Amino acid sequence: MIRVGIIGTNWITDRLLDAAKLVKNFELTAVYSRTDEKAKEFARKYGVENTFTNLEEMALSPLIDAVYIATPNSYHAEQAILFLQNGKHVLCEKPLAANAKEVSEMIECAKQNHVLLMEAMKSTLVPNFKVIQNNLHKIGPIRKFFSSYCQYSSRYDKYKEGIVLNAFNPVYANGALMDLGTYCLYPLIALFKEPVHIKATSIMLQSGVDGEGSVLLQYEDKEAVVMYSKISNSYLPSEIQGEKGSMIIDKLHSPERVEICYHDGRIEQLTAEQPYPVMYYEVKEFIDLIEQGRTESEINSYENSYKTMQVMDEIRKCIGIVYPNDRK
C-alpha cells in the first residue's frame, strides 16, 4: 500500500479521494489543516486517525509515503519542496506552481531526492487523451488548434458584491489563466511542444487578476487559439484542424467524446470507454509510478509541466499580471 497524506481540505480533495477509493494500493493515512478542528473533522469523514497542523512534523512523519497538495497555487512550491526534501512523493494540483522558476526548483529537488513529483493534470491521463494522440495522423498536417474553457465562477458573484475570495486574489497566484487556461495549454504543450511566439489579451479585474483571456500561439507550421474565462460561459467544443479533416473534442479539460469529421463528409467516432471518475486516472498513474520505482510520469512529465508554466509566464507578461511569488 502507498500511504498518502492530504494537504488542503477543500472540494477538489473530496473529489480526488472519492476517485482514489477505486485505486488499488492507495491508502489515506493522514490529513493536514491549519486548525486542529478542521483537520479532525475532515479526517473523521474518511476514517483517518492521524492529523497534523504542522507541515514540518508531517513531512518528517513515518506514517506517510506521499502527499497530495491542493492548497492555493502560491503555496505549492514551498510545500512540495518541503516534502520532497524529506523523501515523500508529491502529487500537486495544477498549476504546479506560481511561475516557471518555482517549477524548476521543484523538479530539481525531486531529482536530488530520487522521489516522484507529478502535476495533477487530469485531462492528459484519461483514456480519451490517448485516443487524441493516437489518431492525429489521420487528419493530415495539422494547421490549427482551438480550445475553449469558459466557466462562470460562482465566486464571481461574491466578487461583484465586494468580497474577494481566493479565486480572484493575486496573493494566491490565481485568476482565469491559472485556474482554467492551464487546462487548454497543458494538452497543447503535451501534443505539440512549445510555440515560437505568443500574443495574449485579457479583461483584468480590479483585484489584480484576469477575469478572462485569449491567447494566440504561433508554431512554425500551425497556430493555436486558446480562450478561457471565469466571468462568462462557453459551450463550444475544442477542435484540432488538419488538411484532411478536423478532430472534435467535446471538452479538452475532461475529454469524453472524440470524433473526426473528414473533408468528404465521413464522421469517425473515436471515443474510448472511461468507466471511472475523471480523477481516478491521475491517482492511478501516481500510485503505479511509485510502485514501479519511477520518479517521473511520461505523460505529465517534468518537461510538459515546465514548458507549460513558461508559456503561462509569457502570457502573464503580455497581460501585465505579477504575483507576489514573482518578486521572491
Side-chain angles (χ1 to χ4, degrees):
M1 298 294 286
I2 305 301
R3 302 167 302 164
V4 180
I6 293 298
I7 304 168
T9 53
N10 51 42
W11 68 270
I12 195 69
T13 306
D14 281 320
R15 189 168 294 179
L16 179 126
L17 291 175
D18 285 343
K21 293 174 185 176
L22 304 171
V23 178
K24 185 179 179 183
N25 293 335
F26 176 101
E27 182 183 9
L28 178 62
T29 57
V31 171
Y32 165 85
S33 186
R34 286 172 295 176
T35 68
D36 187 57
E37 180 184 3
K38 191 167 185 180
K40 283 183 165 56
E41 179 186 355
F42 194 87
R44 278 195 299 271
K45 185 162 59 172
Y46 292 96
V48 176
E49 294 182 3
N50 308 301
T51 60
F52 293 88
T53 56
N54 183 294
L55 282 176
E56 287 77 14
E57 288 180 11
M58 188 178 186
L60 290 167
S61 174
L63 297 169
I64 58 172
D65 307 304
V67 291
Y68 167 65
I69 297 176
T71 51
N73 304 331
S74 57
Y75 299 135
H76 286 182
E78 179 182 356
Q79 293 174 346
I81 287 171
L82 171 63
F83 283 86
L84 293 167
Q85 287 173 335
N86 284 278
K88 311 300 186 186
H89 307 286
V90 173
L91 176 64
C92 185
E93 261 306 329
K94 58 80 200 166
L96 196 56
N99 54 51
K101 181 177 182 292
E102 290 184 344
V103 171
S104 178
E105 292 169 352
M106 294 163 74
I107 292 170
E108 186 59 32
C109 186
K111 289 179 177 178
Q112 288 177 356
N113 290 279
H114 310 290
V115 285
L116 170 64
L117 168 68
M118 193 183 95
E119 186 167 0
M121 176 57 67
K122 61 185 180 182
S123 55
T124 45
L125 293 167
V126 299
N128 276 305
F129 188 76
K130 188 168 287 186
V131 165
I132 295 168
Q133 289 177 305
N134 292 344
N135 288 276
L136 282 176
H137 67 279
K138 295 180 178 179
I139 62 175
I142 293 162
R143 298 307 185 193
K144 188 181 289 288
F145 171 102
F146 169 76
S147 181
S148 170
Y149 192 3
C150 302
Q151 182 173 291
Y152 187 91
S153 172
S154 59
R155 294 169 179 82
Y156 188 53
D157 290 332
K158 291 291 186 182
Y159 179 87
K160 290 187 288 186
E161 294 172 6
I163 302 169
V164 181
L165 300 175
N166 288 5
F168 294 104
N169 191 336
V171 169
Y172 300 111
N174 272 332
L177 170 66
M178 300 293 272
D179 189 18
L180 302 183
T182 185
Y183 279 116
C184 301
L185 294 163
Y186 198 107
L188 172 66
I189 301 304
L191 291 171
F192 304 118
K193 305 303 180 184
E194 70 272 24
V196 296
H197 188 64
I198 297 169
K199 294 180 181 178
T201 60
S202 71
I203 299 297
M204 294 295 296
L205 304 179
Q206 287 188 344
S207 66
V209 304
D210 55 330
E212 65 89 54
S214 300
V215 187
L216 177 63
L217 305 103
Q218 188 71 46
Y219 289 79
E220 291 183 358
D221 59 349
K222 68 180 75 68
E223 68 176 12
V225 179
V226 166
M227 303 191 311
Y228 48 87
S229 176
K230 291 177 71 68
I231 59 176
S232 62
N233 283 321
S234 173
Y235 306 95
L236 296 174
S238 294
E239 184 177 33
I240 304 174
Q241 300 174 10
E243 292 187 1
K244 296 181 180 179
S246 296
M247 182 177 290
I248 311 298
I249 304 143
D250 63 338
K251 47 185 189 294
L252 194 63
H253 62 275
S254 182
E256 294 178 354
R257 294 193 306 276
V258 184
E259 64 182 23
I260 293 177
C261 299
Y262 292 100
H263 293 340
D264 61 7
R266 289 182 298 120
I267 297 178
E268 182 181 5
Q269 298 294 338
L270 300 171
T271 303
E273 184 181 359
Q274 289 181 182
Y276 297 104
V278 67
M279 297 185 79
Y280 164 89
Y281 301 97
E282 66 189 78
V283 179
K284 186 177 188 303
E285 172 83 355
F286 183 65
I287 297 300
D288 286 350
L289 289 170
I290 295 173
E291 292 189 317
Q292 294 163 12
R294 297 166 62 190
T295 55
E296 182 179 1
S297 169
E298 292 182 6
I299 305 166
N300 287 9
S301 64
Y302 293 155
E303 180 181 14
N304 286 342
S305 291
Y306 180 67
K307 293 294 185 183
T308 300
M309 189 54 68
Q310 280 189 313
V311 168
M312 292 169 69
D313 282 358
E314 185 62 29
I315 293 169
R316 287 201 292 120
K317 286 181 184 177
C318 291
I319 60 181
I321 295 180
V322 178
Y323 297 131
N325 292 56
D326 300 326
R327 302 188 181 99
K328 290 181 180 178

